[in-house]
Amino acid sequence: MSVKVSLLRSAGFAAAYAVAFAVGRMTVIGGSHLALLWPAAGVAFIWFCAQRRARLRWVDALALGAIGLIGNAVTGGGPALGAVLALANVVQATAFVLLLARPASRAGRDLRLSTPRDLARALGTTVIAVVAGAAVAQVGNWLVTGQPDPSAFDAWITRDVAGTVVIGTVGLWFGPTMSAFRGRHGSVAGWSRNMIRNLRATARWRVAEYLAIVSCSAGAYVIGDTYDNGLPLIVVTGWVAIRLRTGFLVLHNLILAGVAVAVTLHGDGALADIADPYLRAVIAHLLVALTAVASLALALERDERAGLFRELADQRGQARQHATLLSTIIDSMGDGLSVVDAEGRVVLRNRAAVRLLGEVSVVGDAHRRLRHLDGSPVTTDALPHTRALAGAHVEGDDLLVRKPGDHDARIVQVTATPLPGERGCRSAVVLYHDVTAERRHRDQLANFAGAVAHDLQSPLTAVEGWTEVASDALDAEQPAITRSRDSLSRVSRAATRMRGLINDLLAYTSARDADLTPTRVELAGLVADVAAARADAATAAGRPVPRVALGRLHPVHADAGAVRQLLDNLIGNAIKYTASGVTPYLKITSTLCGDLVEVTIADNGIGIPPGQHEAIFDDFHRAHSGGGYTGSGLGLAICHRIVSRHGGTITAHDNPGGGSRFTFTLPAADPPPTAGRPDTVPLAVPHATAPTSTGKRVPARA
């Protein structure tokens, strides 16, 4: 607050105090210097509370003392008595602010009237400050006049307490609102617009209730003045305290208290029969103060209770939101989570836990489905939740679990943690992490490494052995050239087998992890290219040239390199696994099935052993390990991986005419044909004589 603003505020409060001082001096009892009505006490309270943080606080004290001195001297009190009474007013106002404002400042709060505790603090501070002011006035009056006046002491206390309570509560209630006036409304016009808006938003019955209060208050005074009974006024004040806003009650008490004291001082109203003006004033002040304090206590208690209800409702809403958020987070977890109480009841579980363990209400029902990895049951004492309830921390136990109706067991990694509860009771938080894919992948890697080590061991041994034989033959006195050449040929074949295995491993890795770039692939041209390459290889090797019959081949939407590898493996297998002396014959067709193209490759080979039609797609599985058919066992695994990564399937069946028939699906590049258009139209290919697995010739089917 700047000095200029502080001085302007001091001037405004000084003017208000002067007016209140003049009003109070009009009620001085004849033959004394004691005023029966003293609104200046309440104005001084508001003044010093508002200016307690001003830079020039001494100006306010000086102004208040000067007004008191001049006012009392002018109204017949004399300079000496005027100085005493002015000093008493300064002491009273200063003591009030120091006692009330300092604890609030230490607590970091503004002076507010929000709770019954604030009202009690303000009332106690008022009584102490007024007693201090009355004591100064009484001692000063005794020193000046030489005559003590106990009745004036009592009247001073009740008068100033009533004035401070009625007027001071107005400042405590509306002071923070006035301080924030510019920030909330901006100007008087803004305030009026907000008031009109709030009035329009107020229910009509509520407006009617306020009007009824005003009418009843006026009627209560008429009744009280007529029948000398203050009960109607008390009833109306209680109505306001219970039903209406506290700000309205503060103004209501201010207006009615002023009227009640004025009527009483003029010898009217419920206290008109009391002849002694001092006693009449004291009782009137006590009634006004008690009515104001009681009604404010009721209103503030109501407001505090309403605030607590709102806070409780907000906390419930926040708790509900937090519970919903927590439930959503728990349900969105990929891992299963269960909370088990001390009696083995499942008090909380998420969707993943239900998916893994099924719907259960007692944890024992779910844990009876748990097995060790070797298939043996888990004892009750060894169950994760039992160990956690005993205080142990279970970290990463691998167990098998099988839900009712499931054929395949899942491997779960279980973590259980004790959760302390009330009165020492414990619960357990059990977390189930499905590691089936990870463990299977680990096992596949182990098998992969073992198979690679085994398959590479044989050609490496051959390379080492035949290299040594060739070296010995060449180191002899008469080198055995023929034997050396034979050994080197064997070394070459072993190296070729090793290179083939390494190429298959690289192809398997590429099919598993390489990025796919789907595009339109014309199967007809790609199959013809692969078949021509295989025919050239057979001619160069002096083997029978394979015969390939093509039906209609629909274009697919896939990675061109992966599809070439898929077709090369399937066509190469069909040619390789053909009986000795039989010319390989393949028939390749496709069918458009919705948004998929189903491709079939039928051959006249030696077929697939019974029971191995699914196993042949596993890594390193070789259906024909003997009979002179070499291979790594990865070719069909590569085919399965390529098809799976494109979202298709691949199966193997026996060919009715002998041999095998492989069928796989890939995404179609073109939409399904319109009604009435055939989805399979065979290409014009030359008719050929198709050899069977028995060596007989049958006409080839296009």
Side-chain angles (χ1 to χ4, degrees):
M1 185 187 302
S2 65
V3 174
K4 180 179 179 181
V5 173
S6 177
L7 293 176
L8 289 175
R9 285 163 60 102
S10 298
F13 279 114
Y17 181 79
V19 173
F21 187 95
V23 172
R25 292 301 295 175
M26 294 178 185
T27 63
V28 172
I29 299 176
S32 72
H33 301 287
L34 180 65
L36 295 181
L37 181 64
W38 198 246
V43 174
F45 161 70
I46 298 175
W47 181 359
F48 275 53
C49 285
Q51 291 289 92
R52 71 185 187 280
R53 295 176 180 172
R55 297 182 181 181
L56 303 176
R57 289 187 293 272
W58 59 271
V59 174
D60 300 295
L62 182 61
L64 186 146
I67 295 173
L69 174 61
I70 296 173
N72 284 297
V74 170
T75 55
L81 187 59
V84 168
L85 297 178
L87 177 62
N89 290 331
V90 172
V91 169
Q92 179 174 298
T94 304
F96 188 94
V97 173
L98 290 177
L99 293 174
L100 186 64
R102 181 162 295 178
S105 299
R106 282 200 297 264
R109 301 187 303 109
D110 291 331
L111 294 177
R112 292 180 179 272
L113 192 65
S114 304
T115 64
R117 182 178 299 177
D118 295 337
L119 177 63
R121 185 183 299 111
L123 181 61
T125 303
T126 299
V127 172
I128 295 174
V130 169
V131 169
V136 171
Q138 184 69 15
V139 172
N141 183 62
W142 186 12
L143 293 176
V144 172
T145 62
Q147 297 178 353
D149 189 359
S151 59
F153 181 76
D154 297 337
W156 177 294
I157 293 177
T158 57
R159 177 200 68 184
D160 281 28
V161 166
T164 304
V165 166
V166 174
I167 299 177
T169 53
V170 175
L172 285 178
W173 184 260
F174 291 103
T177 303
M178 296 301 295
S179 299
F181 180 85
R182 184 176 296 276
R184 294 180 59 184
H185 306 290
S187 63
V188 177
W191 171 80
S192 62
R193 286 194 298 270
N194 291 336
M195 287 294 295
I196 294 174
R197 187 183 304 111
N198 293 334
L199 184 60
R200 290 177 178 176
T202 304
R204 293 184 178 180
W205 65 269
R206 196 69 169 174
V207 176
E209 187 174 11
Y210 277 96
L211 295 176
I213 284 291
V214 175
S215 302
C216 291
S217 298
Y221 274 105
V222 173
I223 295 174
D225 185 60
T226 303
Y227 297 99
D228 295 336
N229 186 358
L231 182 61
L233 176 62
I234 297 176
V235 172
V236 172
T237 304
W239 180 9
V240 176
I242 295 173
R243 292 286 302 162
L244 303 184
R245 291 180 177 271
T246 306
F248 183 83
L249 172 66
V250 170
L251 295 177
H252 180 270
N253 287 343
L254 175 64
I255 296 173
L256 297 191
V259 175
V261 172
V263 169
T264 301
L265 293 178
H266 285 80
D268 299 324
L271 304 178
D273 294 337
I274 301 176
D276 186 356
Y278 277 107
L279 181 59
R280 187 193 315 152
V282 168
I283 295 177
H285 293 146
L286 287 175
L287 286 177
V288 168
L290 290 176
T291 302
V293 170
S295 60
L296 275 173
L298 284 175
L300 294 176
E301 178 70 25
R302 179 203 62 196
D303 292 345
E304 185 178 31
R305 185 172 62 252
L308 291 175
F309 283 148
R310 286 193 300 271
E311 183 178 353
L312 180 60
D314 292 341
Q315 291 178 353
R316 286 180 176 177
Q318 293 176 1
R320 191 179 300 111
Q321 292 177 356
H322 291 165
T324 302
L325 178 61
L326 181 61
S327 178
T328 303
I329 293 174
I330 291 176
D331 279 341
S332 65
M333 291 173 55
D335 294 341
L337 183 142
S338 298
V339 178
V340 185
D341 64 9
E343 298 180 0
R345 293 189 299 265
V346 180
V347 297
L348 176 65
R349 60 179 178 271
N350 64 354
R351 296 175 182 174
V354 175
R355 186 171 62 251
L356 284 172
L357 304 176
E359 288 281 357
V360 292
S361 57
V362 181
V363 73
D365 297 340
H367 282 183
R368 277 193 289 269
R369 303 168 188 166
L370 296 177
R371 295 288 186 272
H372 292 293
L373 294 183
D374 59 3
S376 61
V378 183
T379 62
T380 302
D381 294 338
L383 288 173
H385 81 279
T386 305
R387 294 159 59 190
L389 290 174
H393 290 264
V394 181
E395 295 288 344
D397 283 3
D398 283 358
L399 298 172
L400 291 175
V401 61
R402 179 182 283 111
K403 281 196 314 180
D406 286 354
H407 300 290
D408 296 331
R410 310 292 296 176
I411 303 175
V412 294
Q413 188 179 69
V414 184
T415 301
T417 305
L419 185 66
E422 297 179 357
R423 300 178 182 177
C425 296
R426 286 183 176 272
S427 299
V429 179
V430 188
L431 193 65
Y432 308 93
H433 177 54
D434 189 349
V435 295
T436 306
E438 299 173 15
R439 298 298 182 263
R440 288 178 179 173
H441 183 58
R442 185 183 65 184
D443 294 341
Q444 288 176 356
L445 289 177
N447 295 335
F448 183 87
V452 169
H454 178 271
D455 286 354
L456 286 177
Q457 187 71 27
S458 177
L460 284 174
T461 302
V463 167
E464 292 174 352
W466 290 110
T467 300
E468 184 178 353
V469 171
S471 177
D472 292 342
L474 291 173
D475 290 341
E477 294 181 359
Q478 295 181 351
I481 302 301
T482 303
R483 187 177 181 184
S484 299
R485 287 176 177 173
D486 179 66
S487 298
L488 292 175
S489 297
R490 293 176 184 271
V491 169
S492 178
R493 287 196 296 271
T496 301
R497 290 197 301 273
M498 189 184 303
R499 180 177 296 278
L501 176 59
I502 293 174
N503 287 337
D504 285 345
L505 292 175
L506 292 175
Y508 178 79
T509 303
S510 177
R512 181 180 183 89
D513 301 320
D515 293 335
L516 299 179
T517 307
T519 185
R520 181 185 179 89
V521 179
E522 298 291 344
L523 285 184
L526 193 57
V527 170
D529 189 31
V530 172
R534 288 291 178 175
D536 292 341
T539 301
R543 295 192 300 268
V545 177
R547 306 292 300 278
V548 180
L550 302 181
R552 176 175 182 176
L553 295 176
H554 298 80
V556 296
H557 184 71
D559 185 271
V563 175
R564 174 180 286 275
Q565 188 176 18
L566 168 67
L567 294 172
D568 187 63
N569 284 359
L570 292 177
I571 293 174
N573 270 9
I575 295 172
K576 180 172 69 173
Y577 292 102
T578 304
S580 178
V582 176
T583 301
Y585 175 77
L586 289 76
K587 182 178 180 180
I588 305 175
T589 60
S590 73
T591 304
L592 189 60
C593 303
D595 56 354
L596 294 176
V597 173
E598 184 179 87
V599 181
T600 301
I601 301 178
D603 61 55
N604 64 334
I606 61 177
I608 302 171
Q612 299 193 39
H613 292 77
E614 295 182 1
I616 59 175
F617 296 105
D618 293 340
D619 299 339
F620 299 104
H621 182 85
R622 296 178 61 189
H624 303 281
S625 57
Y629 299 101
T630 61
S632 63
L634 286 174
L636 291 179
I638 293 172
C639 295
H640 182 269
R641 183 61 181 170
I642 292 173
V643 172
S644 298
R645 293 189 67 190
H646 284 85
T649 59
I650 184 170
T651 57
H653 303 279
D654 294 331
N655 193 17
S660 305
R661 186 174 71 247
F662 287 84
T663 302
F664 63 88
T665 59
L666 291 174
D670 297 329
T674 57
R677 176 183 173 185
D679 63 347
T680 303
V681 179
L683 294 176
V685 295
H687 289 275
T689 302
T692 67
S693 60
T694 59
K696 296 181 180 180
R697 301 282 180 169
V698 296
R701 293 169 292 180

